[in-house]
Amino acid sequence: MKLGTAIAEILKREGVEWIAGYPVNHMLEHAAAADIRPVVVRQERVGLHMADAQSRVTSGRKPGVFVMQHGPGAENAMGGVAQCFAESVPVLVVPMGYPRRLAHIEPNFNSVASMRSFTKSAEPITLAAEVPNILRRAFARMRNGRGGPCLVEIPNDMWNEEVPEPLDYRPVPLARYAPDPQDVARAAAMLAAAKRPVIYAGTGVHWARAWPQLRALAELLAAPVTTSLGGKSSFPEDHPLALGSGGLAVPAPVPHFLKNADLILGVGCSFTTTNFGIAMPAGKRIIQATLDPNHLGKDIPIELGLVGDAALTLDMLLAELKGRIRERRDPSKVAAEIQAVREPWLAAWRAKRDSDSVPLNPYRVLRDLWNTVDVDNTIITHDAGSPRDQLSPFWVSRTPLSYLGWGKTTQLGYGLGLAMGAKLAAPEKLCINVWGDAAIGFTGMDFETAVRERIPIMSVLLNNFSMAIELKVMPISTEKYRATDITGDYAAMARAFGGYGERVERPEDIVPAIRRGIRKTQEGVPVLLEFITSKETEVARPVW
């Protein structure tokens, strides 16, 4: 069979139901012939973001796929590939390449050479007969170990070459591994002896689907739980032991309990030092449970490392702890302390979250959003900057993967593609992206993709006509040249594209607009709700 037909058949055997892409890449046509839906975007980065969400929402069981043309298409895709790499998301990236005789001649763009530093693997197809082996390696690397994008480049002169039949390809299995039992026993002893343990859950809990084990461990130890932005929704945030998630903005219970912890257990996390993550207090005893041994102690000192799948690791810890802790510890004292810290913190933010001001306060918009949607049947994500920091501390996630958090690298415009990919992966959910007027400038044209491809998301835009975060660092250029000003009627743009667009300016109109938007998504229409907000710059920074 022809090379493209063989690749499409392999994708189908691996459970791929749709691929995102931008022409010309002949895989779009070969996929359609194999009944794999091609979704054509307006720019490459957004297509990668959509594939990214497909992988996240399925915990990597059905990795997303993105295809693009050689040269400029591959060049434009680099930011989206780098985002997947930073967030450890398994995505299959399939660029076309220059013909083999030109592949390594400058200035031709060679995807394999150029993207190897921010992919888990990058390999060209040079012989058609090797297609099953090359795709097997890519899927094996995506499914196993720490996630990341895997790139397979198809030279443009290979489409008419034949792959031997019958096609010898079987889907790649998921192989999990677990830590040394002796180390697990040491960790269990440390946790059993700790007086004030805290659990920090990262994205690895989502990839392992270790949500029940995480909750069981917290309840056994009566240990409070906080999460990274990527780990948010791995532990129900309405649980009495929930501290909330932390990024640049952090709920007050998080620093309070970390500062007073005598032992911190990190599960499914890298402890990467970033402005958009929780900084661990110095001098703490730390157990790090992670899938990637290269992440052990890479940014902070640890006392003990457990290398393995988060679910298997937690299963082993729970089994070890049964012989040390006969009954669940009483959580009432810890829960009361959490509430004693959280209540005054929430009270301090109540004026903004309950504000009736005009322009609207963004915290009021997001409060009303949470109170209006069916939170447990919603998948929400944020964009970089203010939307992330205004949403993450206050949005109470109660079910796994209902919040797609991110932050190690912060590309503006990321949230729109995530929401669209999430909707394709989970069509029964209300999928929302929250962004600002800066972010929509990067990827807003792809709202047309949502309309054209019949992907009924709800896009919540907080429009303050300004780069508000930059006001403090650009006072002269703002005063003299209005360099931080932004303008646009984005609700009108959504309507022009054929979607539903509504501009909201008064507090009493927030909830009715959200309800109208939900109804429109249920009718199959993508929605953009544009809320005119104040230049709010205050965020809930941690106080140590």
Side-chain angles (χ1 to χ4, degrees), residues 11 105 243 448 521 540:
L11 296 181
I105 298 175
L243 302 176
E448 185 272 341
T521 65

Side-chain angles (χ1 to χ4, degrees), residues 144-178:
N144 296 290
R146 180 171 64 88
C150 292
L151 184 145
V152 174
E153 186 180 57
I154 307 175
N156 203 17
D157 59 340
M158 293 196 66
W159 293 104
N160 288 320
E161 296 200 6
E162 296 284 339
V163 176
E165 296 187 68
L167 183 65
D168 183 15
Y169 188 89
R170 285 168 290 177
V172 170
L174 170 64
R176 301 190 297 162
Y177 50 91

Side-chain angles (χ1 to χ4, degrees), residues 175-470:
R176 301 190 297 162
Y177 50 91
D180 186 325
Q182 291 185 346
D183 290 333
V184 173
R186 285 180 59 201
M190 292 167 65
L191 288 166
K195 302 299 183 186
R196 293 184 63 90
V198 173
I199 300 172
Y200 174 71
T203 319
V205 176
H206 285 313
W207 297 120
R209 295 181 172 175
W211 313 301
Q213 294 94 328
L214 175 62
R215 180 168 181 162
L217 181 64
E219 291 177 345
L220 179 64
L221 297 171
V225 179
T226 183
T227 72
S228 65
L229 284 177
K232 188 175 172 73
S233 79
S234 62
F235 188 79
E237 293 185 317
D238 61 344
H239 192 285
L241 292 171
L243 302 176
S245 68
L248 187 143
V250 181
V254 174
H256 170 83
F257 276 87
L258 288 174
K259 180 175 63 176
N260 293 292
D262 61 352
L263 180 65
I264 297 170
L265 170 65
V267 181
C269 69
S270 62
F271 285 124
T272 296
T273 298
T274 168
N275 289 336
F276 312 105
I278 302 170
M280 294 296 123
K284 294 296 179 182
R285 302 178 72 206
I286 293 176
I287 301 171
Q288 184 180 8
T290 181
L291 194 61
D292 189 344
N294 291 325
H295 282 173
L296 286 176
K298 76 179 182 71
D299 286 21
I300 59 172
I302 64 171
E303 188 164 328
L304 180 62
L306 304 175
V307 177
D309 173 86
L312 292 179
T313 300
L314 291 175
D315 281 335
M316 293 173 71
L317 273 173
L318 286 164
E320 275 289 336
L321 284 164
K322 279 183 181 177
R324 302 169 188 271
I325 303 174
R326 302 261 175 217
E327 296 180 356
R328 286 183 183 179
R329 290 175 174 166
D330 182 2
S332 58
K333 185 177 179 181
V334 176
E337 186 178 349
I338 292 172
Q339 283 302 103
V341 177
R342 178 181 286 130
E343 285 304 323
W345 172 74
L346 285 172
W349 283 91
R350 195 161 293 136
K352 293 181 184 293
R353 301 185 72 219
D354 295 349
S355 173
D356 289 327
S357 64
V358 177
L360 302 170
N361 191 293
Y363 287 103
R364 166 66 187 272
V365 174
L366 296 175
R367 185 209 72 174
D368 284 358
L369 183 67
W370 190 89
N371 285 326
T372 306
V373 303
D374 180 356
V375 174
D376 296 342
N377 289 297
T378 294
I379 299 175
I380 192 167
T381 190
H382 55 75
D383 227 287
S386 297
R388 172 196 60 227
D389 304 330
Q390 292 162 354
L391 180 70
S392 62
F394 299 103
W395 189 274
V396 179
S397 299
R398 301 186 298 218
T399 53
L401 294 170
S402 59
Y403 191 106
L404 302 183
W406 54 275
K408 290 189 182 69
T409 185
T410 54
Q411 293 180 7
L412 281 169
Y414 186 27
L416 176 65
L418 284 180
M420 290 195 289
K423 186 66 178 177
L424 289 174
E428 74 283 3
K429 302 284 188 179
L430 172 65
C431 296
I432 303 173
N433 71 295
V434 179
W435 53 355
D437 47 344
I440 199 172
F442 279 74
T443 59
M445 282 297 294
D446 266 287
F447 188 81
E448 185 272 341
T449 299
V451 175
R452 173 172 37 84
E453 294 285 354
R454 305 170 304 283
I455 307 173
I457 61 166
M458 178 186 286
S459 196
V460 173
L461 176 66
L462 305 175
N463 185 2
N464 57 16
F465 300 101
S466 173
M467 299 179 186
I469 293 177
E470 284 75 20

Side-chain angles (χ1 to χ4, degrees), residues 506-541:
R506 300 191 62 81
E508 62 268 26
D509 296 330
I510 296 172
V511 171
I514 293 169
R515 288 175 176 160
R516 285 190 291 271
I518 293 171
R519 285 197 297 273
K520 284 294 182 181
T521 65
Q522 292 167 344
E523 294 168 9
V525 180
V527 170
L528 192 152
L529 301 179
E530 179 184 16
F531 295 94
I532 305 306
T533 66
S534 60
K535 295 178 175 62
E536 178 65 69
T537 59
E538 187 177 357
V539 298
R541 292 184 180 273

